[in-house]
Amino acid sequence: MTTDTIEAAAREAVTSACADVRDAEQTDDVDGVRPGLVARPADTGQVSEVMKACAAHDLTVVPRGRGTKLSWGLAPTSADVLLDLSALDQVLDHAAGDLIVAAQAGALLHDVQQVVGEAGQRLALDETVPGSTIGGVLGANTSGPRRTATGTARDLLIGITMVRADGVVAKAGGRVVKNVAGYDIGKLMIGSRGTLGVITDATFRLHPVPAAHRWVSVPVADPARALTVAQAAVHSQVVPTAIEVEWADGTGTLHVLLEGHVDGVAGRAEALRSLLGAEATESEDAPADGATYPWDVTATADRRSTALKLTFVLSGLADVLAAAADTGATLRGSAGSGVVYAALDPDTAVGDVSIALERLRNACTAQGGTTVVVDAPAAVKSAVDAWGPIPALDLMRRVKDQFDPDYRLAPGRFVGGI
Amino acid sequence: MASDSSAGISNVTDVARRLLPEAGVITDRARLRTYECDGLAHYRVTPALVVIPEDAAQLAGLVKACAEHAVPFVARGSGTGLSGGALPHAEGILIVTSRMRAIREVRRDDQRAVVEPGVINLDVTRAATPYGYYYAPDPSSQQICSIGGNVAENSGGAHCLKYGFTTNHVIGADFVTPDGDTVTLGGAAPDSPGYDLLGAVVGSEGTLGIVTSATVRLVRLPEEVRTILVGFKTTDQAGAATSAIISAGIVPAAIEMMDALAIEAAEAAVHCNYPDGAGAVLVIELDGAAIEVEQEYAEVERLCNDNGAFEQRLATDPAERQLIWKGRKSAFAAVGRISPDYIVQDGVIPRTALPEVLKAIADLSASSGVRVANVFHAGDGNLHPLVLFDDEVEGAGDAAETVSGAILDLCIEHGGSITGEHGVGMDKAKYMPRMYTDEDLDTMQLVRCAFDPQNISNPGKVFPTPRLCGEVPGRHKGAHPLQEAGVAEVF
Ligand SMILES: Cc1cc2nc3c(=O)[nH]c(=O)nc-3n(C[C@H](O)[C@H](O)[C@H](O)COP(=O)(O)OP(=O)(O)OC[C@H]3O[C@@H](n4cnc5c(N)ncnc54)[C@H](O)[C@@H]3O)c2cc1C
Ligand SMILES: Cc1cc2nc3c(=O)[nH]c(=O)nc-3n(C[C@H](O)[C@H](O)[C@H](O)COP(=O)(O)OP(=O)(O)OC[C@H]3O[C@@H](n4cnc5c(N)ncnc54)[C@H](O)[C@@H]3O)c2cc1C
């Protein structure tokens, strides 16, 4: 359905569910798919009403945070209503003494960091794309360099409120760090790309901001050396917060982040430098490209790079880097966690992208991991298998069937056509 | 249903006899009795059949037979659970993993180990230590509990304040669904694409299926560990010191608190020589790079003094360190020395509510005459009030039960949880509706229906009123079919 085909009754139902409803414009496109209506609810109650109206009129729904990367992943097969969560933008509760924060899904990660930062705390999630919302970070399960020390959203989320495809509002978890009462629905929502339910607020555990930090960087001439350096840092006693690799044309740099007490960090940096050799340098400043991806996140349509996420066991780093050198991909990511992002130039021919993808996927699979196409020009997306093989796909479908039997939420965006 | 079930059991028994060696199939009434309860001994049910498979293929075959004949099954690791999670089903089979104890791989370079479900928690650490690594989740029962049980309960321990729970350390699993299919969830590398089914399975208390192998994260042994025992006159002071440490930006590996009654019990049992006259002690452990620990130690010492500590002892060798921990880790068992019977409660509150809630517990204890000893994970607000009673005294058990339940209400009132690590099991299913709405519970049931539409995987646990799968959620009309059939009770 598109704007003109959304029936009057359906349009009326959505409009009466939420005060802010308008026709979609080009800027609302979800990877080339023009939604019918854009609904911008003001609170969880309105999200629920919109979902109920959509269920009653059989409309499909795609949730959007701020749409910073709404083109990523696969295009939806249908998007009657774009559910814009940007009005749910409040940081709800910062309990500094309990080291927790609750925020609405449309709140900017940046705003959350600002609020908790005033108490010397942080939500240990890197902002990998400027302007990301809490809901978007959870929906896409983004993470950056610091995951090596504090993990990802799945290690930090302790409670959520969600609206189901049928409009029912449900909570899971709570506001205490330690809680094993019932199923961990929050984990299922993380990385579900808006296909299981709409997150309307989330509660996280926080960490104190360390007093000092230091980056130690060392050039690495080849994959074997990169592995040696990464392993040395991983198994050392310097307790790295992040171990990042940058890699292009068969050569690169490793950056190790140390955080902690002022004297402690200085001492550990020195220990690390002596471990890594004379070429290692020290800096207060993050590497120039920081926690970003190795592609231009602002590019649109055919100017997008083919953006890949590669995972592997730690000892597989050298093989993955070697495979990348053969493909012309540029890499950046967390060598200390086994998660690296790769970019192929937008001008790469589709056939060459397929070959590169296969090569990288083979390397990652051999190292216990996966390769996923995060974003790509439309021609690439239609030519390649974006997700690769997915174990337990049948069980995933059964979960989807229970939560969203009509495939109303973000249809076609996720693995196996979910 | 009853006659069906005995036919079902005999079919499953036939399959078990075909699949397993003789010793792995127990049908003898007296021997079945050995398995009638877990660590929560006041619920007892004799299972219809006990099977002890030796590998995942046998286990999957057994589950498949259960699925075909709609026979309920319950997984059991070491049976140390404290919420009746492994309580058998009278018309079902109990699948014990104690013969699946291989540590398949320790991959130091990848910081991973792959282990079978029956492997004892501490054995993972023992296998990793020669490589400079350990397995971080360490429930007090770590010398006997199984990894499968840990995964199912999402077990914690003293060190989860800094290092997280089982769910943060299990990244892959082979898993037998209640259909008897074997699937791989997650893997050795992070962030497997697709829904995080493993995240739902961890902590699901055996209600979604059975884990037959787990890939766990290994953590680098710290360069330096300092364990400090600090004596305070009151729990308020100890609580204030805890808050001060956390607010200072220090995340210790553990902060544990014991009150006077718990100290008395521990002294009687293990002579741990805690400070004389202490109304509360904190066991604080700092770990990490030596130079950082040194600085944190100085700060912690100062913060404890500022908050009224009258004695601080730093363990200077592993023996002293072990003695400090022995007092803490034996506290539950030790309570047996000062009271014939007791209930171990497990509730959680936001850390800042500690003084208020401890005071309310003391008031409850005073007004009811029921003694309560407190031993807990102060750093993350996980309380373990030990509610003492003497079953010989008429009504004492009921009074203890009432106080125990009132403590959970206090936790819920303060925005906490009815269980931080011991699980819901059979024991706390009735409290779930106090913490969650019908909609919340229905949503959890969607997960169960996806995994276990026949409701045969550890039925009757966690949820007070299981929904029939296929039923439209959120509409409650009249009595539930399971309720009418006498299978489940509505609380
Ligand atoms: C399909 C897809 C895959 C991605 N994969 C990766 C990745 O592997 N690694 C990575 O680092 N970054 C990934 N990203 C990037 C990530 O989206 C951005 O970094 C950022 O998190 C987006 O924030 P946003 O608020 O602008 O969200 P949006 O771009 O608006 O939304 C991001 C995704 O989350 C869903 N979503 C948004 N809000 C909600 C909500 N409240 N409830 C439920 N679902 C919601 C959306 O439908 C969409 O699928 C991916 C993005 C998409 C769309
Ligand atoms: C003295 C004492 C101290 C304790 N201290 C702690 C503590 O500090 N922290 C803590 O968290 N707990 C603690 N416990 C509780 C208990 O030890 C844990 O819950 C433990 O994880 C249970 O492991 P188990 O192997 O004994 O499991 P069992 O009791 O056998 O089973 C527990 C649950 O797991 C399920 N299960 C078992 N194996 C599998 C499998 N392979 N796949 C799927 N489901 C399975 C069972 O069906 C059951 O629901 C303590 C218990 C005792 C007796």
Side-chain angles (χ1 to χ4, degrees):
Chain A
M1 274 188 242
T2 62
T3 313
D4 358 300
T5 59
I6 291 186
E7 293 161 19
R11 177 180 283 272
E12 165 66 30
V14 175
T15 310
S16 59
C18 158
D20 189 349
V21 177
R22 59 175 171 82
D23 287 329
E25 296 159 13
Q26 195 192 336
T27 50
D28 298 311
D29 284 5
V30 184
D31 199 10
V33 176
R34 175 72 45 90
L37 300 171
V38 178
R40 190 168 178 266
D43 54 30
T44 301
Q46 286 189 12
V47 174
S48 163
E49 291 307 315
V50 171
M51 290 310 298
K52 282 181 183 156
C54 293
H57 293 274
D58 203 20
L59 303 178
T60 54
V61 179
V62 174
R64 177 175 75 184
R66 301 293 165 104
T68 54
K69 292 293 160 283
L70 209 53
S71 76
W72 294 13
L74 299 180
T77 52
S78 165
D80 297 326
V81 174
L82 187 74
L83 189 63
D84 175 353
L85 291 146
S86 60
L88 276 73
D89 63 353
Q90 299 301 303
V91 179
L92 298 170
D93 179 22
H94 174 214
D98 294 317
L99 280 167
I100 63 161
V101 69
Q104 288 184 307
L108 296 176
L109 178 56
H110 178 82
D111 290 349
V112 174
Q113 300 293 26
Q114 197 120 36
V115 170
V116 304
E118 280 164 23
Q121 298 174 358
R122 70 183 178 197
L123 172 54
L125 284 172
D126 292 296
E127 185 166 21
T128 55
V129 178
S132 294
T133 64
I134 292 299
V137 166
L138 290 174
N141 193 18
T142 59
S143 63
R146 284 175 181 79
R147 65 176 291 156
T148 298
T150 35
T152 60
R154 93 191 284 286
D155 303 295
L156 302 167
L157 181 73
I158 57 173
I160 54 156
T161 305
M162 63 173 290
V163 178
R164 293 192 330 217
D166 59 3
V168 169
V169 179
K171 284 187 157 65
R175 31 178 295 129
V176 282
V177 171
K178 216 169 168 184
N179 177 9
V180 295
Y183 297 149
D184 196 341
I185 303 285
K187 293 234 177 16
L188 281 178
M189 296 297 295
I190 293 171
S192 66
R193 270 87 173 171
T195 62
L196 271 192
V198 181
I199 301 164
T200 58
D201 63 59
T203 306
F204 298 90
R205 70 176 292 189
L206 300 170
H207 285 83
V209 176
H213 70 270
R214 198 74 55 87
W215 287 90
V216 175
S217 301
V218 62
V220 285
D222 56 60
R225 174 72 184 147
L227 177 63
T228 307
V229 170
Q231 286 278 315
V234 160
H235 301 299
S236 75
Q237 288 290 5
V238 303
V239 196
T241 299
I243 303 173
E244 291 290 292
V245 61
E246 284 187 90
W247 191 256
D249 304 322
T251 173
T253 311
L254 262 98
H255 307 280
V256 181
L257 174 62
L258 303 176
E259 295 184 322
H261 289 271
V262 177
D263 296 346
V265 166
R268 283 147 65 209
E270 200 181 304
L272 186 62
R273 270 196 295 133
S274 62
L275 198 65
L276 301 187
E279 285 177 310
T281 56
E282 236 178 88
S283 170
E284 287 280 304
D285 302 327
D289 294 308
T292 60
Y293 299 109
W295 55 79
D296 175 6
V297 295
T298 62
T300 55
D302 288 347
R303 295 317 305 155
R304 287 176 283 176
S305 302
T306 294
L308 308 172
K309 177 173 179 175
L310 319 179
T311 67
F312 47 89
V313 294
L314 296 183
S315 64
L317 179 67
D319 284 5
V320 172
L321 294 183
D326 295 341
T327 62
T330 308
L331 264 59
R332 189 180 306 145
S334 303
S337 299
V339 177
V340 162
Y341 298 90
L344 290 162
D345 192 87
D347 296 324
T348 315
V350 173
D352 291 340
V353 172
S354 293
I355 293 168
L357 176 61
E358 194 186 327
R359 199 166 285 181
L360 290 168
R361 192 166 271 161
N362 286 341
C364 290
T365 308
Q367 297 301 335
T370 56
T371 299
V372 166
V373 179
V374 174
D375 195 13
V380 170
K381 284 189 189 181
S382 60
V384 303
D385 173 5
W387 302 102
I390 306 287
L393 183 58
D394 177 52
L395 209 44
M396 290 177 195
R397 286 218 175 88
R398 281 157 61 173
V399 170
K400 170 75 173 177
D401 287 345
Q402 286 290 331
F403 276 81
D404 181 17
D406 301 320
Y407 281 55
R408 182 171 324 293
L409 278 164
R413 298 277 267 165
F414 204 42
V415 297
I418 286 174
Chain B
M1 184 139 178
S3 57
D4 278 10
S5 77
S6 59
I9 283 289
S10 80
N11 285 322
V12 174
T13 308
D14 291 345
V15 173
R17 291 227 157 88
R18 258 200 323 274
L19 287 174
L20 307 185
E22 208 180 307
V25 185
I26 298 172
T27 53
D28 169 62
R29 198 80 203 150
R31 290 185 60 213
L32 289 174
R33 282 266 177 75
T34 334
Y35 295 96
E36 69 186 2
C37 68
D38 62 5
L40 189 63
H42 67 267
Y43 297 111
R44 288 172 191 270
V45 173
T46 309
L49 172 71
V50 170
V51 289
I52 316 179
E54 294 169 320
D55 60 34
Q58 290 176 356
L59 193 150
L62 291 161
V63 173
K64 188 143 247 156
C66 288
E68 257 163 42
H69 302 286
V71 169
F73 62 86
V74 178
R76 176 181 166 114
S78 301
T80 67
L82 293 171
S83 52
L87 184 76
H89 191 286
E91 282 133 36
I93 77 169
L94 188 72
I95 303 180
V96 182
T97 62
S98 59
R99 287 204 186 129
M100 296 172 68
R101 284 214 171 141
I103 294 180
R104 293 206 199 122
E105 279 183 274
V106 175
R107 287 155 55 174
R108 174 216 178 242
D109 288 357
D110 297 331
Q111 301 182 316
R112 300 282 183 265
V114 183
V115 305
E116 291 186 347
V119 168
I120 302 303
N121 174 299
L122 194 59
D123 287 344
V124 184
T125 285
R126 289 201 179 110
T129 303
Y131 303 96
Y133 279 83
Y134 74 112
Y135 178 62
D138 60 344
S140 299
S141 51
Q142 70 183 143
Q143 306 199 3
I144 36 169
C145 66
S146 74
I147 292 294
N150 291 171
V151 170
E153 298 288 356
N154 188 14
S155 298
H159 291 102
C160 42
L161 173 62
K162 180 167 176 181
Y163 292 102
F165 317 89
T166 299
T167 192
N168 306 113
H169 295 271
V170 172
I171 65 158
D174 288 342
F175 179 75
V176 176
T177 70
D179 298 332
D181 295 336
T182 299
V183 297
T184 300
L185 309 177
D191 297 7
S192 299
Y195 295 135
D196 185 0
L197 302 181
L198 182 62
V201 162
V202 177
S204 64
E205 307 191 22
T207 61
L208 298 179
I210 304 188
V211 171
T212 58
S213 141
T215 302
V216 302
R217 199 191 297 279
L218 298 176
V219 178
R220 185 84 177 92
L221 281 167
E223 187 175 24
E224 168 105 10
V225 180
R226 286 201 188 179
T227 308
I228 316 148
L229 181 69
V230 192
F232 295 89
K233 290 287 173 213
T234 67
T235 52
D236 272 0
Q237 290 174 333
T242 304
S243 294
I245 291 165
I246 303 272
S247 314
I250 297 173
V251 185
I255 309 185
E256 301 285 302
M257 200 194 296
M258 291 165 74
D259 72 2
L261 200 49
I263 298 169
E264 180 191 327
E267 283 299 345
V270 298
H271 313 292
C272 44
N273 190 26
Y274 280 5
D276 263 347
V281 296
L282 289 181
V283 174
I284 304 170
E285 192 154 277
L286 299 167
D287 73 0
I291 180 166
E292 296 277 334
V293 171
E294 178 74 45
Q295 291 191 332
E296 287 182 347
Y297 174 66
E299 232 175 309
V300 164
E301 200 175 29
R302 181 178 59 78
L303 292 168
C304 286
N305 281 335
D306 288 355
N307 285 283
F310 69 83
E311 185 169 341
Q312 300 204 39
R313 275 188 228 156
L314 172 67
T316 50
D317 60 36
E320 281 182 12
R321 180 176 171 232
Q322 269 187 357
L323 194 60
I324 290 179
W325 274 115
K326 198 169 172 195
R328 164 62 186 90
K329 294 218 173 188
S330 63
F332 291 0
V335 160
R337 302 251 174 168
I338 61 164
S339 174
D341 303 285
Y342 63 95
I343 299 169
V344 183
Q345 192 45 283
D346 166 42
V348 193
I349 51 166
R351 187 173 32 235
T352 50
L354 266 176
E356 203 180 322
V357 172
L358 287 180
K359 171 148 193 335
I361 293 176
D363 291 349
L364 259 173
S365 172
S367 65
S368 63
V370 175
R371 291 191 300 164
V372 180
N374 285 293
V375 186
F376 56 95
H377 309 296
D380 35 38
N382 184 194
L383 304 176
H384 286 315
L386 301 160
V387 184
L388 314 185
F389 66 102
D390 181 352
D391 214 18
E392 302 285 292
V393 177
E394 167 94 28
D398 292 342
E401 194 63 55
T402 307
V403 167
S404 177
I407 291 174
L408 287 188
D409 286 337
L410 273 172
C411 292
I412 297 171
E413 247 170 62
H414 286 85
S417 172
I418 57 170
T419 171
E421 54 182 26
H422 295 167
V424 177
M426 176 80 213
D427 196 37
K428 288 186 174 172
K430 64 174 181 285
Y431 292 110
M432 287 288 275
R434 298 200 200 173
M435 190 168 155
Y436 296 113
T437 64
D438 284 351
E439 287 75 18
D440 304 339
L441 292 172
D442 260 332
T443 304
M444 293 182 193
Q445 288 283 296
L446 295 174
V447 180
R448 195 189 60 81
C449 288
F451 278 75
D452 180 23
Q454 287 199 88
N455 190 26
I456 56 171
S457 190
N458 209 2
K461 313 292 167 63
V462 185
F463 300 101
T465 46
R467 180 158 72 82
L468 289 191
C469 301
E471 205 182 346
V472 178
R475 282 178 217 155
H476 302 278
K477 286 194 215 87
H480 191 285
L482 286 179
Q483 207 182 330
E484 282 181 339
V487 177
E489 200 182 331
V490 180
F491 290 92

